[in-house]
Amino acid sequence: MAEEQEETGGSGVASRTFRALVESADRKFARVRDLPAYGRGHAHYFQKVFKAYMRLWKYQQENRSDLVAAGLNRWEIGEIASRIGQLYFNQYMRTSEARFLVEAYVFYEAILRRRYFDGANAKDLGVRFKELRFYARFLLVSLILNRHEMVQLLVERFRAVVDDSKSKFRQEASFKEWKLVVQEIVRFMEIETAYKSSRPVRYCALFDSHPASRPYVARFHAKKVLKFKNAILTSYHRNEVKFAELTLDTHRMLQFLEWESSGSFYQKQTVESVYPNFPVAPQENGSAVDHSEASGLIDINLAADLIDPTLPPNPRKAVLYRPSVTQLLAVMATICEELPPESVMLIYLSASGKSSQGTVSRMDGPDGSRRSSKGKAVSGSLREQNNSRAENLSNGKAEASDYYSDYLWLGPRSNGGTNILHPGDIIPFTRKPLFLIIDSDNSHAFKAVGLARPVLHGAERGEPVALLLSPLRPSFKNASFVNSAIHSGSQFTFFLTSPLQAFCQMVDHNTSDVDTDDYNNAEETLATAFSQWEVILCTSRNLDLVWAQVMLDPFLRRLILRFIFCRSVLLFFSPPGHIEECAPACVPQLPVSVSAGSEVVRSAVLRLANQLNVAGSFHFNNTC
């Protein structure tokens, strides 16, 4: 009897201590959960809450038997592990450090494989919501890590739990939102995996650092060299493809601006290879086997063996989901203020737009000449207004209103002016170097006002802006793609992040029907072309300083190369007479030697089209 009382007393003390640690950790977690995912002033908060959860995790490991005797549920262990995984993921979103993302994956995978939420009280709605949130968060982590097989497994499990919840909790709660989450990830993956690729979206030295041009890059020097440290990524379109708060376009850009493990590490390092006894093999019925006797023991050092130590740090990225204009400007101001000296900030904006010029637009042609594209007739008063504006600008008398005529929508159209972003709104931030990517049907609003000079380039407050501007509309061989383009992600963004897949999508070429060797040869053709253009840029005497000062950064250099490819492809694909609205633009101009119609660029596009047997879809006799 005395021994039983002693055991009861021991388990009671352990339980009380455990509950106190849970409450303390949860209070600290609540303080950091809603902190903004940008700015550098929150590291100490994360350290405090992480320390609290590590102490809690260690305590439940060391006192497992007493806690189980006191009534500890397995789902409670799973919830602690899920919180730790969430902390790691939140820190990844704040810092872009890959180790935090991998740590989150390790914890989430252990929860799944050890089946912490299985066998939970089937009537406890609160526990069921915790389980559903776990699946949604693990899906997001797996998606960003490109663990597509795990995503498929999680979708099946997630759908089953949602269906089970609808039947068991029919009277208590609606699970319509959770069903929508399932539909979101299914749609996301349908598009993301539609076109195969043998190469990662992330920067991989094995594929993206070209041996032939490497010496030229190493010898390249400019009067000023900028370091790429920070980026802001945001998109806002109606009905755009998304999962949780990550849209397809920002997902692609986020991956594009990160390092991928390379060489033997890239090919071999996985959870399974580092820890062959890690419980990952499912049974025939899809349930995982828990091989661990001490099911609470998650190796928190596992991620260290899954990170390539040779990689430089990723650029810090603030990914904003459907921000208001004021929120976007506030984030830009914060990051600009914290931008290190001699650094450049990349801003990626994908949104619909509106032009004050109606259907009349003026822009530079592929050869730099000024051309016009007319639709419906505009009123005489509007024409006079544009002529007056052009005269003022040509005389160097730009009016303030000229910088605020055209805009992008960052919100529902019904809300009017509070949700519009003008090109002039960017001007105050040009006191620091900016690399601006505008992906919009009104992208050229950031290039020219009326008939005269550029809005940003020439109006900066300190540093010249680098501008990559999307076409005004996408181009597809299959006409049905044009109307549904935004529901499949932006074509321009797709070209910048996955150029060969974007090429195949444009010409309606199903990559699943392409022989693997042929597809790899097409990848090599593209890589060879990029290497050649890299040499041309690095040896050009006409390379504008705006581009020269970012050429040494691998991410920004890769953006420039892929822009050159995209511009040429769309030039030769677009029917004559539609080139202006279907071609992207850059400000300032890149050297003529890599223009859309230059022989070295044209020949590469022609060679690729012939390799994939789609040359008939192009107009290679177009002159530039």
Side-chain angles (χ1 to χ4, degrees):
M1 181 67 68
E3 291 180 359
E4 290 181 2
Q5 289 178 349
E6 184 177 347
E7 288 180 5
T8 302
S11 60
V13 172
S15 179
R16 287 192 296 272
T17 304
F18 175 77
R19 299 301 169 190
L21 291 173
V22 169
E23 291 178 6
S24 175
D26 286 351
R27 283 196 303 270
K28 291 180 173 63
F29 180 85
R31 294 172 190 165
V32 303
R33 179 174 48 200
D34 299 322
L35 287 175
Y38 55 88
R40 302 177 184 272
H42 311 306
H44 63 289
Y45 292 110
F46 172 79
Q47 291 172 359
K48 287 182 178 180
V49 68
F50 184 76
K51 184 177 180 180
Y53 272 102
M54 286 295 100
R55 181 183 177 190
L56 173 60
W57 187 256
K58 183 178 179 181
Y59 187 83
Q60 65 85 22
Q61 286 180 322
E62 294 174 346
N63 297 273
R64 173 58 60 83
S65 59
D66 286 342
L67 292 172
V68 170
L72 179 69
N73 296 302
R74 282 179 59 78
W75 68 260
E76 293 181 271
I77 304 172
E79 175 66 1
I80 297 170
S82 182
R83 284 284 178 90
I84 295 173
Q86 187 178 352
L87 281 172
Y88 274 126
F89 179 72
N90 289 348
Q91 192 67 355
Y92 160 73
M93 294 301 291
R94 289 188 174 94
T95 65
S96 298
E97 291 187 39
R99 62 189 177 96
F100 292 125
L101 184 64
V102 176
E103 291 278 16
Y105 184 91
V106 168
F107 270 84
Y108 283 141
E109 186 174 42
I111 295 168
L112 180 73
R113 300 308 184 186
R114 291 176 170 84
R115 304 168 68 174
Y116 282 123
F117 286 103
D118 286 15
N121 190 342
K123 296 182 180 180
D124 193 327
L125 183 60
V127 176
R128 180 54 57 91
F129 281 141
K130 293 178 187 295
E131 182 178 8
L132 289 169
R133 285 192 290 270
F134 153 70
Y135 275 111
R137 290 165 182 156
F138 191 12
L139 273 166
L140 186 58
V141 170
S142 300
L143 181 67
I144 296 175
L145 274 174
N146 289 320
R147 302 272 179 155
H148 290 166
E149 291 183 1
M150 177 59 77
V151 171
Q152 296 301 329
L153 173 64
L154 291 172
V155 168
E156 294 174 8
R157 300 278 187 90
F158 192 26
R159 183 187 285 114
V161 174
V162 171
D163 292 340
D164 180 69
S165 300
K166 288 170 62 180
S167 62
K168 288 183 178 178
F169 300 97
R170 187 182 303 273
Q171 305 299 325
E172 299 179 56
S174 171
F175 289 86
K176 182 179 179 180
E177 291 184 0
W178 290 108
K179 192 171 183 64
L180 290 176
V181 173
V182 174
Q183 293 172 355
E184 278 186 357
I185 188 61
V186 169
R187 176 61 176 155
F188 199 107
M189 292 304 297
E190 284 177 352
I191 297 171
E192 187 67 356
T193 58
Y195 294 88
K196 71 178 181 181
S197 175
S198 59
R199 302 183 180 186
V201 176
R202 289 180 169 90
Y203 190 101
C204 182
L206 188 65
F207 304 119
D208 295 310
S209 179
H210 314 295
S213 57
R214 204 174 295 152
Y216 295 89
V217 174
R219 291 196 299 266
F220 180 81
H221 63 89
K223 295 180 180 178
K224 183 178 182 181
V225 176
L226 298 178
K227 297 178 181 179
F228 173 39
K229 296 291 187 181
N230 294 82
I232 298 174
L233 312 177
T234 188
S235 66
Y236 199 130
H237 295 278
R238 296 178 64 188
N239 302 320
E240 63 187 328
V241 178
K242 72 178 189 69
F243 177 64
E245 295 189 351
L246 188 68
T247 69
L248 182 62
D249 289 337
T250 54
H251 169 68
R252 287 171 172 170
M253 287 302 300
L254 181 149
Q255 295 222 326
F256 177 85
L257 297 175
E258 294 199 342
W259 292 95
E260 176 77 32
S261 299
S262 59
S264 59
F265 195 97
Y266 164 73
Q267 296 167 2
K268 297 178 182 179
Q269 296 295 90
T270 63
V271 172
E272 295 89 340
S273 65
V274 175
Y275 284 81
N277 295 323
F278 198 76
V280 295
Q283 292 178 335
E284 292 182 1
N285 62 4
S287 299
V289 181
D290 187 348
H291 296 293
S292 174
E293 302 246 338
S295 58
L297 298 176
I298 298 176
D299 189 345
I300 63 175
N301 297 314
L302 175 59
D305 296 300
L306 299 172
I307 301 297
D308 189 339
T310 65
L311 294 180
N314 290 323
R316 218 179 252 258
K317 296 172 290 296
V319 182
L320 306 180
Y321 175 69
R322 296 198 163 190
S324 64
V325 171
T326 52
Q327 180 188 1
L328 174 62
L329 296 178
V331 175
M332 290 172 61
T334 299
I335 295 179
C336 273
E337 182 67 21
E338 297 177 348
L339 196 67
E342 304 300 312
S343 297
V344 60
M345 177 171 68
L346 182 145
I347 300 175
Y348 168 81
L349 298 176
S350 177
S352 299
K354 182 181 183 300
S355 170
S356 64
Q357 309 304 314
T359 55
V360 176
S361 62
R362 300 271 180 169
M363 62 199 75
D364 289 344
D367 58 352
S369 62
R370 187 73 66 180
R371 301 178 182 179
S372 64
S373 174
K374 296 185 179 180
K376 298 178 180 179
V378 293
S379 66
S381 60
L382 178 58
R383 194 175 290 112
E384 290 177 6
Q385 177 183 350
N386 290 340
N387 290 338
S388 174
R389 180 182 303 160
E391 182 178 354
N392 286 338
L393 286 169
S394 64
N395 293 329
K397 299 178 180 179
E399 299 177 4
S401 60
D402 293 327
Y403 299 117
Y404 300 93
S405 303
D406 301 338
Y407 46 83
L408 304 184
W409 290 100
L410 290 181
R413 291 175 179 264
S414 58
N415 286 357
T418 58
N419 293 319
I420 58 179
L421 178 73
H422 299 280
D425 292 331
I426 307 295
I427 293 176
F429 304 101
T430 59
R431 291 173 172 84
K432 297 289 183 70
L434 297 184
F435 193 109
L436 200 59
I437 303 174
I438 304 296
D439 194 342
S440 172
D441 54 7
N442 191 33
S443 63
H444 288 271
F446 286 74
K447 179 182 180 184
V449 174
L451 309 176
R453 66 172 186 157
V455 173
L456 292 178
H457 192 68
E460 295 94 340
R461 293 293 184 262
E463 294 285 346
V465 175
L467 282 166
L468 297 184
L469 306 173
S470 73
L472 303 185
R473 70 177 182 88
S475 301
F476 295 102
K477 181 179 179 180
N478 186 339
S480 64
F481 272 51
V482 176
N483 296 327
S484 62
I486 196 60
H487 306 306
S488 301
S490 159
Q491 183 183 55
F492 183 59
T493 298
F494 202 18
F495 263 105
L496 295 180
T497 56
S498 302
L500 185 56
Q501 293 94 305
F503 182 92
C504 292
Q505 182 195 58
M506 183 190 70
V507 297
D508 198 21
H509 194 66
N510 192 340
T511 56
S512 62
D513 297 333
V514 181
D515 181 78
T516 300
D517 290 338
D518 291 340
Y519 190 86
N520 289 338
N521 289 336
E523 289 274 21
E524 288 303 320
T525 294
L526 205 53
T528 300
F530 289 162
S531 181
Q532 292 175 334
W533 305 343
E534 210 167 49
V535 172
I536 293 173
L537 290 172
C538 288
T539 56
S540 173
R541 296 183 178 181
N542 299 317
L543 186 63
D544 192 288
L545 179 61
V546 170
W547 305 115
Q549 63 190 5
V550 299
M551 274 296 292
L552 289 178
D553 182 84
F555 296 107
L556 302 184
R557 186 170 66 252
R558 188 170 59 150
L559 269 175
I560 295 169
L561 295 171
R562 293 182 177 188
F563 171 83
I564 293 170
F565 173 70
C566 174
R567 181 174 59 177
S568 185
V569 167
L570 293 177
L571 167 71
F572 292 115
F573 183 79
S574 304
H578 294 274
I579 292 175
E580 293 175 0
E581 60 185 354
C582 295
C586 64
V587 179
Q589 291 293 327
L590 287 163
V592 176
S593 53
V594 289
S595 65
S598 63
E599 182 56 30
V600 69
V601 178
R602 177 185 177 278
S603 61
V605 176
L606 176 60
R607 189 160 55 251
L608 181 64
N610 284 329
Q611 268 186 310
L612 296 176
N613 298 315
V614 294
S617 298
F618 292 82
H619 309 275
F620 285 108
N621 292 326
N622 284 355
T623 57
C624 303

